[in-house]
CSV table of all heavy atoms in Angstrom, one decimal:
chain,number,residue,atom,x,y,z
A,91,GLY,N,68.7,-2.4,168.7
A,91,GLY,CA,68.7,-1.8,167.4
A,91,GLY,C,70.1,-1.4,167.0
A,91,GLY,O,71.0,-1.2,167.9
A,92,HIS,N,70.4,-1.4,165.7
A,92,HIS,CA,71.7,-1.2,165.2
A,92,HIS,C,71.7,-0.7,163.8
A,92,HIS,O,70.8,-1.0,163.0
A,92,HIS,CB,72.6,-2.4,165.4
A,92,HIS,CG,72.0,-3.6,164.6
A,92,HIS,ND1,71.2,-4.5,165.3
A,92,HIS,CD2,72.0,-4.0,163.3
A,92,HIS,CE1,70.8,-5.4,164.4
A,92,HIS,NE2,71.3,-5.1,163.2
A,93,PHE,N,72.9,-0.1,163.4
A,93,PHE,CA,73.2,0.0,162.0
A,93,PHE,C,74.2,-1.2,161.7
A,93,PHE,O,74.8,-1.7,162.6
A,93,PHE,CB,74.0,1.3,161.7
A,93,PHE,CG,73.1,2.5,161.7
A,93,PHE,CD1,73.0,3.2,162.9
A,93,PHE,CD2,72.4,2.9,160.6
A,93,PHE,CE1,72.2,4.3,163.0
A,93,PHE,CE2,71.6,4.0,160.7
A,93,PHE,CZ,71.5,4.8,161.9
A,94,HIS,N,74.3,-1.6,160.5
A,94,HIS,CA,75.3,-2.6,160.2
A,94,HIS,C,76.6,-1.9,160.0
A,94,HIS,O,76.7,-0.7,159.6
A,94,HIS,CB,75.0,-3.4,158.9
A,94,HIS,CG,73.8,-4.3,159.1
A,94,HIS,ND1,72.9,-4.6,158.2
A,94,HIS,CD2,73.5,-5.0,160.2
A,94,HIS,CE1,72.0,-5.5,158.7
A,94,HIS,NE2,72.3,-5.7,159.9
A,99,THR,N,74.8,-2.6,153.9
A,99,THR,CA,74.2,-4.0,153.8
A,99,THR,C,72.8,-4.0,154.2
A,99,THR,O,72.4,-3.4,155.2
A,99,THR,CB,75.0,-5.0,154.7
A,99,THR,OG1,75.6,-4.3,155.8
A,99,THR,CG2,76.0,-5.8,153.9
A,100,ALA,N,72.0,-4.7,153.5
A,100,ALA,CA,70.5,-4.9,153.7
A,100,ALA,C,70.3,-6.1,154.6
A,100,ALA,O,71.2,-6.9,154.9
A,100,ALA,CB,69.8,-5.0,152.4
A,101,GLU,N,69.0,-6.3,154.9
A,101,GLU,CA,68.6,-7.4,155.7
A,101,GLU,C,67.1,-7.7,155.4
A,101,GLU,O,66.3,-6.7,155.1
A,101,GLU,CB,68.7,-7.1,157.2
A,101,GLU,CG,68.3,-8.2,158.1
A,101,GLU,CD,69.0,-8.1,159.5
A,101,GLU,OE1,69.9,-7.2,159.7
A,101,GLU,OE2,68.7,-9.0,160.4
A,102,VAL,N,66.7,-8.9,155.4
A,102,VAL,CA,65.3,-9.3,155.2
A,102,VAL,C,64.8,-10.0,156.5
A,102,VAL,O,65.4,-10.8,157.1
A,102,VAL,CB,65.1,-10.3,154.1
A,102,VAL,CG1,63.7,-10.8,154.0
A,102,VAL,CG2,65.4,-9.5,152.7
A,103,TYR,N,63.6,-9.6,156.9
A,103,TYR,CA,62.9,-10.2,158.1
A,103,TYR,C,61.6,-10.8,157.6
A,103,TYR,O,60.9,-10.2,156.8
A,103,TYR,CB,62.5,-9.1,159.1
A,103,TYR,CG,63.7,-8.7,160.1
A,103,TYR,CD1,64.6,-7.8,159.7
A,103,TYR,CD2,63.8,-9.3,161.3
A,103,TYR,CE1,65.6,-7.4,160.5
A,103,TYR,CE2,64.8,-8.9,162.2
A,103,TYR,CZ,65.7,-7.9,161.8
A,103,TYR,OH,66.7,-7.5,162.7
A,134,VAL,N,64.8,-4.4,154.9
A,134,VAL,CA,65.6,-3.3,155.5
A,134,VAL,C,66.7,-2.9,154.5
A,134,VAL,O,67.6,-3.7,154.3
A,134,VAL,CB,66.2,-3.7,156.9
A,134,VAL,CG1,67.0,-2.5,157.5
A,134,VAL,CG2,65.2,-4.2,157.8
A,138,TRP,N,70.0,1.5,156.5
A,138,TRP,CA,68.9,1.8,157.4
A,138,TRP,C,69.2,1.0,158.7
A,138,TRP,O,69.2,-0.2,158.8
A,138,TRP,CB,67.6,1.4,156.8
A,138,TRP,CG,67.1,2.3,155.8
A,138,TRP,CD1,67.6,2.5,154.5
A,138,TRP,CD2,66.1,3.3,155.9
A,138,TRP,NE1,66.9,3.5,153.9
A,138,TRP,CE2,66.0,4.0,154.7
A,138,TRP,CE3,65.2,3.6,157.0
A,138,TRP,CZ2,65.0,5.0,154.5
A,138,TRP,CZ3,64.3,4.7,156.8
A,138,TRP,CH2,64.2,5.4,155.5
A,139,GLY,N,69.3,1.8,159.8
A,139,GLY,CA,69.3,1.2,161.2
A,139,GLY,C,68.0,0.5,161.5
A,139,GLY,O,67.0,1.0,160.9
A,140,HIS,N,67.9,-0.5,162.3
A,140,HIS,CA,66.6,-1.2,162.6
A,140,HIS,C,66.5,-1.7,164.0
A,140,HIS,O,67.5,-2.1,164.6
A,140,HIS,CB,66.4,-2.3,161.5
A,140,HIS,CG,67.7,-3.1,161.3
A,140,HIS,ND1,68.7,-2.6,160.5
A,140,HIS,CD2,68.0,-4.3,161.7
A,140,HIS,CE1,69.7,-3.5,160.4
A,140,HIS,NE2,69.3,-4.5,161.1
A,141,ARG,N,65.3,-1.7,164.4
A,141,ARG,CA,64.9,-2.2,165.8
A,141,ARG,C,63.6,-2.8,165.7
A,141,ARG,O,62.6,-2.3,165.1
A,141,ARG,CB,64.8,-1.0,166.7
A,141,ARG,CG,64.0,-1.2,168.0
A,141,ARG,CD,63.9,0.0,168.9
A,141,ARG,NE,65.2,0.2,169.6
A,141,ARG,CZ,65.5,1.3,170.3
A,141,ARG,NH1,64.6,2.3,170.3
A,141,ARG,NH2,66.6,1.4,170.9
A,155,PHE,N,65.3,-13.9,160.2
A,155,PHE,CA,66.1,-12.8,159.5
A,155,PHE,C,67.2,-13.4,158.7
A,155,PHE,O,67.7,-14.5,159.0
A,155,PHE,CB,66.6,-11.8,160.6
A,155,PHE,CG,67.5,-12.5,161.6
A,155,PHE,CD1,68.9,-12.7,161.3
A,155,PHE,CD2,67.0,-12.9,162.8
A,155,PHE,CE1,69.7,-13.4,162.2
A,155,PHE,CE2,67.9,-13.6,163.7
A,155,PHE,CZ,69.2,-13.8,163.4
A,156,VAL,N,67.7,-12.7,157.7
A,156,VAL,CA,68.9,-13.1,156.9
A,156,VAL,C,69.6,-11.9,156.4
A,156,VAL,O,68.9,-10.9,156.0
A,156,VAL,CB,68.5,-14.1,155.8
A,156,VAL,CG1,67.4,-13.5,154.9
A,156,VAL,CG2,69.7,-14.5,155.0
A,157,TYR,N,70.9,-11.9,156.5
A,157,TYR,CA,71.7,-10.7,156.1
A,157,TYR,C,73.1,-11.2,155.8
A,157,TYR,O,73.6,-12.2,156.3
A,157,TYR,CB,71.7,-9.6,157.2
A,157,TYR,CG,72.4,-10.1,158.5
A,157,TYR,CD1,73.7,-9.7,158.8
A,157,TYR,CD2,71.7,-10.8,159.5
A,157,TYR,CE1,74.3,-10.1,160.0
A,157,TYR,CE2,72.3,-11.2,160.7
A,157,TYR,CZ,73.6,-10.9,160.9
A,157,TYR,OH,74.2,-11.3,162.1
A,161,ALA,N,78.4,-8.3,157.6
A,161,ALA,CA,77.8,-6.9,157.9
A,161,ALA,C,78.3,-6.3,159.2
A,161,ALA,O,78.5,-5.1,159.2
A,161,ALA,CB,76.3,-7.0,157.8
A,162,GLY,N,78.5,-7.1,160.2
A,162,GLY,CA,78.8,-6.6,161.5
A,162,GLY,C,77.7,-5.7,162.1
A,162,GLY,O,76.7,-5.5,161.5
A,163,HIS,N,77.9,-5.3,163.4
A,163,HIS,CA,76.8,-4.5,164.0
A,163,HIS,C,77.4,-3.3,164.7
A,163,HIS,O,78.4,-3.4,165.5
A,163,HIS,CB,76.1,-5.4,165.1
A,163,HIS,CG,75.3,-6.5,164.4
A,163,HIS,ND1,75.9,-7.7,164.2
A,163,HIS,CD2,74.1,-6.5,163.9
A,163,HIS,CE1,75.0,-8.5,163.6
A,163,HIS,NE2,73.9,-7.8,163.4
A,165,TYR,N,76.3,-0.8,167.4
A,165,TYR,CA,75.3,-0.5,168.4
A,165,TYR,C,75.5,0.8,169.0
A,165,TYR,O,74.6,1.4,169.6
A,165,TYR,CB,75.3,-1.6,169.5
A,165,TYR,CG,74.9,-3.0,169.1
A,165,TYR,CD1,75.7,-4.0,168.8
A,165,TYR,CD2,73.5,-3.2,168.9
A,165,TYR,CE1,75.3,-5.2,168.4
A,165,TYR,CE2,73.0,-4.4,168.5
A,165,TYR,CZ,74.0,-5.4,168.2
A,165,TYR,OH,73.5,-6.7,167.8
B,207,ZN,ZN1,70.6,-6.1,161.4
Side-chain angles (χ1 to χ4, degrees):
H92 58 263
F93 290 93
H94 290 145
T99 26
E101 181 158 356
V102 170
Y103 280 83
V134 181
W138 285 73
H140 41 286
R141 159 181 286 167
F155 60 82
V156 55
Y157 64 97
H163 295 92
Y165 290 103

